Amino acid sequence: MKPIKTALISVYHKEGLDDILYTLHSCGVKFLSTGGTKSFIESLGYPCQAVEDLTTYPSILGGRVKTLHPKVFGGILGRRDNEGDRAQMAQYEIPEIDLVIVDLYPFEATVASGASHEDIIEKIDIGGISLIRAAAKNYNDVVIVASKAQYAPLSQMMKRNGAAASTLEDRRWFAGQAFAVSSGYDTAIFNYFSRDEQPTDLRIAVNGAKHMRYGENPHQEGTFYGDFSRLFTQLHGKEISYNNLLDIDAAVCLISEFTEPTLAILKHNNACGLASRPTMLEAWKDALAGDPVSAFGGIIIANRPIDAATAEEVNKIFFEVIIAPSYEEGALPILEQKKNRIILEQHGQLDTTRQYRSILNGALVQQRDLKVETVDDLKQVTTRALTPEQMTDLLFANKIVKNSKSNAIVLAKGQQLLASGVGQTSRVDALKQAIAKAQSFGFDLKGAVMASDAFFPFADCVEIAHEAGIEAVVHPGGSIRDQESIDYCNAHDMAMAATGFRHFKH
């Protein structure tokens, strides 16, 4: 147990610092500080020595240099059990600093605000990051508090130890947290400087580890790194699992494609039911009709508020998660009847533009597939022209197939998902699966449309689709044998559009 006798405090965020200062002062700790933090400490009635008085140098270069001095860093880095260090500290009148409370200029927030390059550069912290590293390096003797997120653990430590004191275990923990702060800060700066070019290296820093009950399977460990609360508020239900998160991510990506009132049901990251309708109740009934078997235990997501009438119908089946922007009066009591059912209120959208995947002891990085086709992307390649209704359905189906595992085929009619074939090793198998599912649930495919996530290498798919009653097709095009599929469509009065955009999803 080591006592804290002198604390260097220099922070940007002062919220929550009052109680810590009170405890430290009541234990006889001396304060050392700069500028605004010094004024804040003194405003509370506590004496505080200015760093400038210790170093005999003023803050210079517009505040860029304040704490960078041997009397400051010597006081932090001096090893208390090293005779040579102690002799030099005495020789140069360097005080021992036992606690450093410091945070960093808000670099990421400044970038996000759209500030000028000059303002962003000024938010690259020099003194603060150096203090953090120095104090963390000498954790054997010094406690480092590197962000306001660690104010609470510091207070708990002092309460636990009964005074302004720390154990080696305490100091080591704070040092680890400090290096997490410094490495994340440097990562943000690196990514800012490499934002307009292909980075030579990959740097990722994500705060907030949440340990899952297990990973994809019970024998696997799982952890989520991120701020779930930025996008959702959990209103009810059990702890969210690793697989829940995968499905929630797939659901959010899918529903973001639709602007009209839409409800989707997902299972294992794929849509098994989806419909766009004037009301959520209608959307639910038609989405469920698409595959009432797979809907059992699935994920439900809507892009409009859930009303009580819809909640009453939804409550009739078992499902894991429901997501909506809000819930109207009377809806939540109905949905909360199942104790473990996860109810989420979505209040944000995904703003990431990159996707990451671990592979071969390394990582794959790509831009997210943000392309959403419009009518202008439907290049008609057949003699028969597309009707306005077919265009609407083709774009509807294309949004679903884009968010389905390849090889994927989607069949739709009247902005309702009739069936899909997903994750197949051949496009023909995906189509046959979709047709069989649609027919098993009593759908008439005459007048339906078909969307494919990639081109047709042969005419077999359009032939099978035609025999099932499908009248319009959309695919990326680009095969050297595209003309065979086009010729078949022309010979059998089918309409086809090519978009030029493939949507593989592995």
Side-chain angles (χ1 to χ4, degrees):
M1 191 80 73
K2 290 199 173 185
I4 298 171
K5 298 177 181 178
T6 301
L8 170 62
I9 307 172
S10 181
V11 295
Y12 190 89
H13 298 286
K14 300 172 181 62
E15 304 86 0
L17 194 59
D18 312 46
D19 292 341
I20 291 170
L21 292 171
Y22 172 81
T23 301
L24 292 171
H25 176 69
S26 64
C27 292
V29 176
K30 296 178 181 178
F31 296 137
L32 182 65
S33 191
T34 62
T37 306
K38 178 177 179 293
S39 299
F40 177 76
I41 294 171
E42 291 176 332
S43 74
L44 298 174
Y46 309 135
C48 181
Q49 182 183 7
V51 167
E52 293 92 330
D53 294 340
L54 173 66
T55 64
T56 70
Y57 274 88
S59 173
I60 62 173
L61 306 182
R64 283 188 166 196
V65 180
K66 289 182 280 193
T67 57
L68 296 170
H69 192 278
K71 282 202 171 183
V72 174
F73 282 84
I76 295 170
L77 287 164
R79 291 162 291 189
R80 313 309 197 246
D81 58 356
N82 184 291
E83 193 173 322
D85 285 6
R86 292 177 64 183
Q88 285 190 317
M89 291 176 74
Q91 179 184 355
Y92 296 109
E93 299 180 333
I94 298 173
E96 292 180 355
I97 297 173
D98 312 299
L99 167 65
V100 175
I101 303 178
V102 64
D103 58 13
L104 302 171
Y105 292 148
F107 179 84
E108 287 183 277
T110 304
V111 173
S113 73
S116 68
H117 177 70
E118 291 73 20
D119 288 341
I120 290 170
I121 295 301
E122 289 307 310
K123 287 299 186 289
I124 297 177
D125 207 304
I126 303 300
I129 203 82
S130 301
L131 291 168
I132 287 171
R133 291 179 63 83
K137 177 176 180 175
N138 198 26
Y139 73 88
N140 191 61
D141 298 304
V142 180
V143 179
I144 172 63
V145 175
S147 79
K148 64 178 181 180
Q150 290 152 32
Y151 288 177
L154 177 64
S155 295
Q156 292 164 6
M157 180 196 80
M158 292 189 293
K159 183 177 180 180
R160 181 174 62 250
N161 296 340
S166 65
T167 66
L168 180 62
E169 183 181 16
D170 292 329
R171 297 190 296 276
R172 184 182 176 87
W173 183 86
F174 279 106
Q177 296 298 305
F179 283 121
V181 170
S182 66
S183 62
Y185 196 75
D186 285 339
T187 294
I189 295 170
F190 168 78
N191 288 332
Y192 171 74
F193 276 93
S194 60
R195 70 196 187 286
D196 296 327
E197 58 190 54
Q198 186 65 33
T200 55
D201 301 284
L202 175 63
R203 297 286 184 271
I204 303 173
V206 184
N207 298 322
K210 179 175 176 55
H211 299 289
M212 306 282 97
R213 296 194 303 273
Y214 52 81
E216 209 160 4
N217 297 290
H219 63 278
Q220 296 170 268
E221 292 184 1
T223 306
F224 170 66
Y225 295 91
D227 187 358
F228 189 78
S229 63
R230 271 191 63 199
L231 298 177
F232 305 101
T233 298
Q234 183 170 353
L235 304 177
H236 182 76
K238 63 183 179 181
E239 182 182 353
I240 295 172
S241 71
Y242 183 100
N243 288 329
N244 290 155
L245 287 174
L246 290 175
D247 282 325
I248 291 167
D249 178 72
V252 169
C253 289
L254 173 62
I255 206 71
S256 68
E257 308 261 354
F258 297 88
T259 55
E260 59 274 20
T262 301
L263 186 145
I265 308 168
L266 290 89
K267 197 75 172 287
H268 296 295
N269 305 165
N270 294 296
C272 59
L274 192 150
S276 296
R277 293 291 183 265
T279 69
M280 283 296 99
L281 181 58
E282 294 172 279
W284 162 252
K285 289 180 178 179
D286 287 344
L288 180 63
D291 189 344
V293 175
S294 296
F296 182 86
I299 306 291
I300 299 168
I301 187 166
N303 64 359
R304 295 292 192 278
I306 296 293
D307 56 88
T310 304
E312 197 71 58
E313 291 300 314
V314 168
N315 193 48
K316 293 178 180 179
I317 74 162
F318 167 73
F319 61 91
E320 287 272 349
V321 182
I322 186 167
I323 309 165
S326 63
Y327 298 84
E328 294 182 2
E329 185 177 355
L332 280 177
I334 297 169
L335 296 172
E336 290 172 346
Q337 290 175 13
K338 301 294 184 182
K339 181 177 67 173
N340 290 329
R341 179 179 289 159
I342 297 167
I343 303 175
L344 299 178
E345 185 174 83
Q346 183 179 353
H347 47 72
Q349 295 294 331
L350 295 177
D351 54 13
T352 54
T353 58
R354 290 183 179 179
Q355 290 178 314
Y356 305 90
R357 179 180 290 185
S358 59
I359 181 174
L360 300 174
N361 297 327
L364 278 174
V365 183
Q366 68 169 352
Q367 289 182 325
R368 284 180 56 210
D369 186 356
L370 298 174
K371 175 62 182 176
V372 180
E373 282 79 0
T374 66
V375 170
D376 293 338
D377 295 310
L378 296 177
K379 180 185 176 184
Q380 300 191 45
V381 295
T382 52
T383 303
R384 179 177 172 179
L386 294 167
T387 66
E389 292 78 12
Q390 287 175 333
M391 289 184 184
T392 297
D393 278 345
L394 288 174
L395 292 174
F396 172 89
N398 206 59
K399 292 173 182 178
I400 302 172
V401 83
K402 168 190 166 182
N403 288 277
S404 303
K405 298 289 186 179
S406 300
N407 287 311
I409 292 288
V410 164
L411 307 180
K413 183 165 64 173
Q415 296 189 76
Q416 178 186 17
L417 171 61
L418 304 184
S420 60
V422 298
Q424 300 302 304
T425 53
S426 81
R427 203 153 299 282
V428 170
D429 285 345
L431 175 56
K432 287 180 177 179
Q433 181 190 57
I435 290 172
K437 284 187 67 175
Q439 291 173 342
S440 72
F441 293 121
F443 287 111
D444 181 5
L445 292 176
K446 183 172 178 56
V449 305
M450 173 174 72
S452 173
D453 63 332
F455 61 63
F456 301 113
F458 306 103
D460 47 7
C461 278
V462 291
E463 181 178 351
I464 295 168
H466 171 254
E467 291 172 355
I470 293 162
E471 297 180 359
V473 179
V474 63
H475 71 130
S479 167
I480 59 173
R481 302 178 70 165
D482 272 355
Q483 196 58 46
E484 293 180 18
S485 295
I486 295 170
D487 289 343
Y488 184 91
C489 288
N490 284 334
H492 295 84
D493 197 30
M494 294 176 70
M496 176 183 283
T499 65
F501 294 95
R502 189 182 71 185
H503 291 297
F504 273 162
K505 187 181 180 189
H506 293 108

